[in-house]
Amino acid sequence: MRNIFKIALLLIVCSSSYASDTINSAVLNKINPPFTPDSELITDPNPTKKKDSRKKSIINDKNATDIIIEDNNDSYLAEQLINVASDNLGSTYRGGGITKNGFDCSGLMYSTFKNFDITLPRSSYQMAEFGTPINLEDAKKGDLIFFINRGQKRINHVGMIVEVTGDDVKFIHSSTQSGVIISSLKEAYYDRTFKQINRVIQ
């Protein structure tokens, strides 16, 4: 009888302990839900539909600094050559000179083209053998123009064409009398001493 009483008491204690653990577990789960692995979380209400996370890019091929050349007959490089040479207008003539302190005719052309990594021969006679000779009526800005003057037998003066208007051709050069100036082929002296035109750039 005593043994039966002990067994009954033991069952009551165990049952009470199990009930207490179950209640505690339920309370804890409400406070701290059980850990669920990321792979089991459903964040997309439509998991069968794939989302494209790639951003669509739009290519902008226009720039505020784009240079638009309206006249296709004028080379942009030719315009830049003219601008660089024109910066020296008023510089004095100096034999062998290639700086603003003074230029000779070939020195002006040599230093102007050198700014654009184009290395011309150093003398006007040698420059006349550089590039492609063209007819006067085909002259364009940036072409080199050559002369024979002062009773010489070979080319000894060079300039660069800066404007072609009808039958008038204007060129920049360094003259012995006036330094760096712009002259016209219509001037009697240059009309008389004109020899040839060479195209150095296309």
Side-chain angles (χ1 to χ4, degrees):
M1 186 69 177
R2 188 176 294 175
N3 288 338
I4 293 171
F5 177 76
K6 286 182 180 179
I7 292 170
L9 183 62
L10 183 61
L11 287 173
I12 291 169
V13 171
C14 288
S15 175
S16 175
S17 176
Y18 173 77
S20 176
D21 288 345
T22 303
I23 291 168
N24 289 340
S25 176
V27 171
L28 288 173
N29 283 343
K30 285 183 179 179
I31 298 171
N32 296 314
F35 173 74
T36 303
D38 290 339
S39 59
E40 294 179 16
L41 292 174
I42 299 175
T43 56
D44 191 340
N46 188 5
T48 57
K49 183 179 178 181
K50 292 183 179 178
K51 290 185 177 179
D52 189 357
S53 60
R54 294 174 298 178
K55 293 182 179 178
K56 292 182 179 178
S57 7
I58 299 173
I59 298 173
N60 179 11
D61 57 357
K62 291 183 180 179
N63 240 311
T65 55
D66 283 348
I67 298 167
I68 300 173
I69 303 172
E70 294 181 354
D71 187 347
N72 292 329
N73 292 322
D74 290 340
S75 162
Y76 175 65
L77 177 55
E79 293 290 350
Q80 296 308 302
L81 287 165
I82 292 168
N83 289 340
V84 170
S86 298
D87 282 343
N88 298 304
L89 285 168
S91 295
T92 58
Y93 179 89
R94 181 181 177 186
I98 58 171
T99 70
K100 281 185 179 289
N101 292 328
F103 295 93
D104 61 14
C105 64
S106 58
L108 177 62
M109 296 301 104
Y110 177 86
S111 64
T112 296
F113 279 78
K114 192 69 175 175
N115 275 280
F116 301 90
D117 294 325
I118 301 173
T119 304
L120 298 177
R122 185 57 187 86
S123 71
S124 56
Y125 176 73
Q126 291 172 320
M127 284 183 190
E129 298 176 346
F130 191 83
T132 306
I134 60 170
N135 296 324
L136 176 58
E137 55 268 25
D138 296 324
K140 289 170 58 176
K141 294 179 180 180
D143 290 340
L144 295 180
I145 185 167
F146 298 92
F147 303 86
I148 298 177
N149 52 26
R150 294 182 181 175
Q152 300 293 316
K153 293 184 179 180
R154 68 180 189 180
I155 288 170
N156 67 341
H157 191 65
V158 61
M160 180 175 64
I161 296 174
V162 297
E163 185 180 335
V164 179
T165 310
D167 60 348
D168 188 16
V169 174
K170 292 181 180 177
F171 57 97
I172 188 169
H173 62 128
S174 182
S175 72
T176 53
Q177 299 296 322
S178 306
V180 180
I181 57 171
I182 293 176
S183 301
S184 169
L185 201 54
K186 280 186 171 292
E187 295 175 40
Y189 179 77
Y190 295 112
D191 179 53
R192 184 174 66 251
T193 58
F194 167 71
K195 177 62 178 176
Q196 72 186 60
I197 295 174
N198 283 21
R199 180 152 300 155
V200 174
I201 60 172
Q202 298 300 322

